Amino acid sequence: DGTYISAEASYHFSQEEKTLGLNLQRPFISPLLKNAGGLYAIRSELSDSLRTSINIFDSYTYQLTHFGGWYARSFMLHEGTSMEEKSTQLVLGTAFDQFSYGKLIASSDAVANTFCNSRLNLISAGYSNRLYRKDAYIFQFGDVEDVPAGRKVQLTFGIENRPDHTRTYAGIQVGFAGYIKKNWYASA
């Protein structure tokens, strides 16, 4: 089980906005990896205005802490020696995303209700079959690249909690990619 962790730090400073962020990710870079995950944190201060009526703009200033993370684990569905069998997996995952407003100064209740603390929790289950084929990269003068091919079906469910209401989330993602007659590549 190889390890690859990407780290990204970001910052943005302007008259209206100050943002600092950190993002750590360990994606599924190979069908043979069993664990993947990530963490991120962003701290922002922003002053702006929001249109609340046809000709009315209400100003606001806030401090926001936005953080979250995710973890996924893959399980081989077939015990075999071929790459096709090794790369067919059940993937289970969970994620959370949280917005916390430490300071909010708003000129109206309409603006204040737009920015409220929230937490989103997600779970997902999916089927994945992924292989790679070496091919010449057309737009890079024939450089060799690994081209993905396979199928994916993923179901995601979640709930978002806010002070004023709770809402549920459900989603499905279906995808496929591969070669048609060995020369044409298609993905959707």
Side-chain angles (χ1 to χ4, degrees), residues 102-153:
K103 176 179 112 179
L104 175 61
I105 301 169
S107 60
S108 73
D109 287 341
V111 172
N113 291 336
T114 302
F115 304 102
C116 62
N117 297 342
S118 68
R119 181 176 172 104
L120 174 66
N121 295 301
L122 299 169
I123 59 169
S124 70
Y127 164 85
S128 173
N129 173 270
R130 184 173 45 153
L131 296 171
Y132 292 91
R133 174 177 154 184
K134 292 203 179 296
D135 203 347
Y137 191 48
I138 295 169
F139 298 110
Q140 295 292 331
F141 305 107
D143 289 349
V144 175
E145 69 170 335
D146 291 328
V147 179
R151 301 170 299 281
K152 170 176 134 172
V153 176

Side-chain angles (χ1 to χ4, degrees), residues 30-51:
S30 160
L32 303 178
L33 287 181
K34 294 179 182 156
N35 297 289
L39 292 172
Y40 55 89
I42 301 166
R43 176 80 172 165
S44 297
E45 293 182 21
L46 178 68
S47 295
D48 203 351
S49 61
L50 187 66
R51 179 183 283 197

Side-chain angles (χ1 to χ4, degrees), residues 82-99:
S82 73
M83 282 306 292
E84 175 84 22
E85 291 171 321
K86 287 181 181 180
S87 68
T88 301
Q89 302 169 344
L90 170 68
V91 181
L92 302 176
T94 185
F96 75 94
D97 191 47
Q98 183 163 328
F99 289 85

